[in-house]
């Protein structure tokens, strides 16, 4: 924010300008232009709206997997989203430990592969609880056995499948399909080192101990659906759906309303004296010819042209044309 000058400073500045002591060009040169550095090796492709929407989606996901893990492990588990940030794939790979559990999966219409990383401390606690332990003891870093991998693969399969439920409000995604499980991050070469990714980090509280899981979404995976990651578009879709539902409900209610339809065969003018002399069997001459179309009224408004006739033993009107073509807009 620019510095606010006092009245005395403003007066002194105006005096210097009027006396010639200070030129306007010199005053302009004193203003410093702030330049923001941009690293072309790490392009910022995700906008603030994209990051905000990803945060909303995965905040909902954290609540879903909290319930899933609590039921699966039969102990209280709390999962909270910690951060959503844009980094390069190389930075992500260097930030996670070795060994770790790195699961690669696909989820259409998101293209390419998405990465799900489970921190070793999280994995060892889950394994200990599922194998009958309490999950309280400390764990030493070691290589994962084939049994460990098979057990955690099933756990991760359940965690990853819940992404479909978290994304359903903004995008209809298919059931995630696991492609590979790797313990050495350096061996995963699915993306170029400088490829921008969105890193979503969760903290997991199991038996009074914190651990972490990460979801790494490459920019290439969501490039085609970026327009749906704008919050305004998200709520606009909800509003449109709500408006369409309301419109259909109103139409259904209107369809059961009874309206009066009558045919105007013709008109004539009578004096009061002629009217008083009318008796049963008298004939009144109308303005219309017998072969001319008659007006059909809905309520008190004339909408159609028709032709009088009989339908079996009943009298009826055949609609010939619409008097006001704009009436079709209300159909």
């Amino acid at each position: 924010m620019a510095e606010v000058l006092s009245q005395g400073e403003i007066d002194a500045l105006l005096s210097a300008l009027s006396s010639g002591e200070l030129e306007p060009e010199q005053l302009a040169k004193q203003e410093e232009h702030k330049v923001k550095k941009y690293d072309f090796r790490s392009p910022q492709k995700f906008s603030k709206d994209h990051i905000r929407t990803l945060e909303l989606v995965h905040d909902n996901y954290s609540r879903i997997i909290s319930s899933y893990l609590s039921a699966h492990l039969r102990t209280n588990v709390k999962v909270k989203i910690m951060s959503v940030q844009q980094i390069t794939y190389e930075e992500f790979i260097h930030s996670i430990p070795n060994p770790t559990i790195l699961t690669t999966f696909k989820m259409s219409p998101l293209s390419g592969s998405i990465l799900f990383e489970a921190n070793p401390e999280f994995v060892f606690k889950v394994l200990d609880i599922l194998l009958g332990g309490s999950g309280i003891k400390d764990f030493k870093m070691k290589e994962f056995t084939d049994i460990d991998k098979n057990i955690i693969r099933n756990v991760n399969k359940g965690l990853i499948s819940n992404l479909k439920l978290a994304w359903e409000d903004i995008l209809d995604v298919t059931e995630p399909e696991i492609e590979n499980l790797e313990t050495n991050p350096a061996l995963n070469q699915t993306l170029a080192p400088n490829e921008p990714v969105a890193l979503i980090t969760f903290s997991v509280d199991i038996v009074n101990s914190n651990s972490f899981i990460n979801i790494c979404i490459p920019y290439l995976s969501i490039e085609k659906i970026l327009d749906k990651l704008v919050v305004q578009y998200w709520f606009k879709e909800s509003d449109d759906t709500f408006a369409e539902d309301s419109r259909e409900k109103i139409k259904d209610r209107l369809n059961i309303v009874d309206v009066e339809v009558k045919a105007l065969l013709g008109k004539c003018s009578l004096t009061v004296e002629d009217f008083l002399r009318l008796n049963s069997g008298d004939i009144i001459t109308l303005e219309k010819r017998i072969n001319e179309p008659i007006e059909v009224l809905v309520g008190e408004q004339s909408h159609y042209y028709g032709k009088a006739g009989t339908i079996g033993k009943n009298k009826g009107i055949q609609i010939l044309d619409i008097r006001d073509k704009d009436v079709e807009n209300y159909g």
Side-chain angles (χ1 to χ4, degrees), residues 51-296:
I51 296 296
R52 191 181 302 115
T53 302
L54 288 174
E55 185 175 358
L56 289 171
V57 170
H58 291 91
D59 182 56
N60 182 35
Y61 176 68
S62 67
R63 291 189 290 269
I64 294 172
I65 62 174
S66 292
S67 301
Y68 168 79
L69 287 172
S70 296
H72 197 70
L73 302 180
R74 298 184 180 182
T75 187
N76 188 30
V77 179
K78 294 181 181 179
V79 182
K80 294 189 299 182
I81 187 169
M82 295 294 293
S83 65
V84 179
Q85 54 183 325
Q86 179 179 182
I87 59 175
T88 63
Y89 178 67
E90 184 179 29
E91 290 173 328
F92 165 67
I93 291 298
H94 289 163
S95 67
I96 56 179
N98 183 15
T100 189
I101 298 295
L102 190 62
T103 306
T104 307
F105 67 95
K106 286 187 175 181
M107 187 172 64
S108 298
L110 276 66
S111 57
S113 299
I114 304 172
L115 304 176
F116 184 92
E117 189 265 334
N119 191 271
E121 187 174 354
F122 167 79
V123 174
F124 286 128
K125 281 191 174 294
V126 169
L127 290 173
D128 186 51
I129 294 172
L130 290 178
L131 295 175
S134 61
I136 298 176
K137 68 177 184 178
D138 295 331
F139 300 96
K140 294 181 180 179
M141 189 66 71
K142 62 177 183 179
E143 291 291 334
F144 296 102
T145 65
D146 290 339
I147 295 177
D148 295 338
K149 293 177 185 178
N150 286 331
I151 294 174
I152 204 64
R153 176 189 286 269
N154 291 328
V155 175
N156 282 357
K157 184 178 180 181
L159 290 171
I160 293 171
S161 66
N162 279 299
L163 279 168
K164 177 178 173 61
L165 185 60
W167 276 84
E168 66 179 4
D169 288 335
I170 63 169
L171 190 65
D172 185 18
V173 298
T174 61
E175 188 69 29
E177 179 184 351
I178 293 180
E179 294 182 309
N180 187 31
L181 188 146
E182 185 63 62
T183 58
N184 186 352
L187 297 180
N188 192 292
Q189 302 294 330
T190 56
L191 295 171
N194 291 330
E195 179 64 33
V197 298
L199 178 63
I200 301 101
T201 303
F202 304 87
S203 70
V204 185
D205 187 0
I206 306 178
V207 197
N208 298 322
S209 177
N210 280 323
S211 54
F212 299 94
I213 57 177
N214 295 293
I215 296 177
C216 175
I217 305 178
Y219 176 79
L220 293 175
S221 295
I222 60 176
E223 186 176 13
K224 295 180 181 178
I225 53 101
L226 280 178
D227 57 333
K228 296 185 179 180
L229 294 184
V230 178
V231 178
Q232 289 83 350
Y233 177 89
W234 187 5
F235 290 112
K236 180 180 180 296
E237 287 290 301
S238 301
D239 292 343
D240 290 346
T241 303
F242 178 77
E244 185 63 29
D245 291 342
S246 300
R247 192 178 298 111
E248 291 299 323
K249 289 179 181 179
I250 292 173
K251 185 186 294 185
D252 291 341
R253 297 303 298 170
L254 287 175
N255 284 338
I256 64 174
V257 175
D258 292 331
V259 293
E260 183 183 29
V261 178
K262 53 189 177 183
L264 182 61
L265 298 177
K267 298 179 181 180
C268 71
S269 299
L270 293 175
T271 64
V272 175
E273 183 179 0
D274 290 340
F275 175 74
L276 293 174
R277 290 179 179 179
L278 285 176
N279 290 312
S280 178
D282 290 346
I283 296 175
I284 300 174
T285 303
L286 303 178
E287 298 172 350
K288 286 185 177 293
R289 296 175 179 269
I290 192 170
N291 57 352
E292 288 184 20
I294 60 177
E295 293 183 65
V296 180

